[in-house]
Amino acid sequence: MRSPSFWKRFFAFTAASAMLVVPFRFLTVNAIVRAPVSKPTASVSENSDVTDGIYDGVLMKMTDMSYINWASEVGASFGQLEREAMVHRGPQALLAEIDRVDSMDWHVPYAQAVAEFFSDLQGWRVLAVDNQEAEAGFYAVAYQKGSDVVISYRGTTNNVMDLVADAGIYLSVPNMIDQLGPAKSFFERACTQASANVHGASIHAVLTGHSMGGWLAQSVYLDERNAPGPWVISGVVVFNSIGTGFQSITSPSVLVKDYHFDGDVFSRYGSSLGSVIDVPNPNPDASVYDKHQMYEFYHYFYPYADGVESTAVGSGRA
């Protein structure tokens, strides 16, 4: 006798497969080597790319790094991680992502690419990780710098439970989404731990996420914005986020920004709680798969002028 949980997952997986197989059937996976792009000053205002003093490019990197398994690096500073990366040590997924971004956008020697990647991450460290991929498809990582905490939720991978959650989100069936409970619990636990690290001081938390992770970040904000605890949510910044079930907040007390890469089809479902920022696409012929990926955002936040040097668009504390 199959349990109700089994049938829930079976039907959700079937629905998710049907929804995803159509666009992915027509993927043309292309090798992308872009021409250098100029710093996008015209498309980004002075304040729009900074959230509570943190450059949105830093939040983009932290969101991208939610796809790395950090369990062995909890407590490590990004200064330490940079030194390890310089000698090709550390999480292989991190080294591969630096190589990928360098080959697509920066075109500089490896050591220079490592220095560029970590340039505005100094002072931050990996605070905590919650890995429930096997049970619920859930993964999140928290980073801390003083009283600032960034909590990033991983989006969809090839985990079956992720497809179940995607189906629940796209079809607006909440009981299919097993990841929201862990997402809220991790937020509270990470902020409490961060507060203890700074002798009980109040924590300023920014929530981030990509794809389904962006949906989780916005949902956690809605559920936790008035919850008691030693924290305040000071921003929500998501990338190619699913928006199903959200209504835009007309007078938000917290800035919610949703970066959409031009041509991404998955983030067009639903709406964002806040403002949508369209990121130009320098390669319209990229595949459907590529247009949804986090690595597409690096050229926007960290462009190399004429392929020789880089200047971050944002200002304020990193």
Side-chain angles (χ1 to χ4, degrees):
M1 184 73 178
R2 301 290 188 181
S3 68
S5 176
F6 169 84
W7 290 112
K8 179 181 77 170
R9 284 162 173 73
F10 174 79
F11 287 118
F13 177 70
T14 302
S17 300
M19 293 166 62
L20 294 175
V21 78
V22 174
F24 277 99
R25 169 65 181 83
F26 298 98
L27 290 182
T28 54
V29 180
N30 304 317
I32 303 176
V33 179
R34 291 192 279 254
V37 293
S38 300
K39 179 179 173 182
T41 51
S43 62
V44 181
S45 69
E46 183 179 352
N47 296 317
S48 68
D49 59 355
V50 176
T51 301
D52 193 34
I54 306 173
Y55 178 42
D56 287 352
V58 169
L59 300 175
M60 181 275 298
K61 288 181 188 174
M62 291 179 172
T63 303
D64 188 26
M65 289 189 292
S66 69
Y67 288 94
I68 296 168
N69 291 325
W70 289 110
S72 300
E73 285 75 28
V74 170
S77 71
F78 279 104
Q80 294 172 260
L81 294 168
E82 178 181 9
R83 290 190 291 274
E84 291 187 1
M86 282 291 186
V87 292
H88 300 273
R89 294 176 55 191
Q92 291 303 302
L94 173 62
L95 305 185
E97 189 70 343
I98 293 172
D99 275 334
R100 186 208 304 269
V101 174
D102 187 31
S103 66
M104 290 172 62
D105 294 309
W106 298 343
H107 316 296
V108 297
Y110 174 78
Q112 189 175 341
V114 170
E116 170 69 17
F117 186 89
F118 287 97
S119 61
D120 49 8
L121 294 175
Q122 302 304 312
W124 289 93
R125 66 178 56 248
V126 181
L127 171 67
V129 166
D130 190 351
N131 186 352
Q132 299 184 40
E133 286 257 281
E135 303 86 356
F138 175 76
Y139 185 93
V141 55
Y143 315 89
Q144 182 173 11
K145 181 181 180 182
S147 60
D148 292 321
V149 168
V150 174
I151 296 175
S152 184
Y153 297 102
R154 179 182 289 181
T156 303
T157 62
N158 58 2
N159 187 303
V160 171
M161 296 304 299
D162 281 345
L163 296 181
V164 171
D166 279 335
I169 293 169
Y170 281 120
L171 300 174
S172 298
V173 183
N175 66 356
M176 289 184 182
I177 308 167
D178 293 336
Q179 300 194 22
L180 187 53
K184 293 191 289 186
S185 296
F186 180 67
F187 164 79
E188 295 178 358
R189 188 168 67 254
C191 288
T192 300
Q193 180 180 341
S195 177
N197 290 346
V198 288
H199 310 292
S202 181
I203 293 299
H204 292 264
V206 176
L207 303 176
T208 76
H210 166 244
S211 189
M212 179 181 66
W215 185 91
L216 287 172
Q218 294 183 80
S219 297
V220 169
Y221 163 63
L222 287 177
D223 289 351
E224 296 287 328
R225 55 185 167 169
N226 297 319
W231 61 73
V232 58
I233 300 177
S234 53
V236 182
V237 180
V238 294
F239 303 86
N240 282 347
S241 174
I242 303 171
T244 308
F246 294 137
Q247 296 289 334
S248 183
I249 300 175
T250 52
S251 301
S253 57
V254 170
L255 191 62
V256 180
K257 290 181 281 187
D258 190 350
Y259 285 91
H260 283 191
F261 189 76
D262 185 37
D264 174 54
V265 297
F266 300 102
S267 59
R268 303 301 168 179
Y269 287 89
S271 59
S272 174
L273 289 177
S275 59
V276 172
I277 301 169
D278 288 311
V279 173
N281 179 1
N283 184 17
D285 294 329
S287 70
V288 173
Y289 174 84
D290 280 318
K291 290 174 183 175
H292 188 61
Q293 302 308 302
M294 282 302 302
Y295 49 71
E296 292 289 1
F297 289 96
Y298 281 87
H299 81 279
Y300 181 75
F301 290 104
Y302 298 94
Y304 263 43
D306 301 323
V308 213
E309 60 179 286
S310 172
T311 307
V313 180
S315 57
R317 77 179 188 274

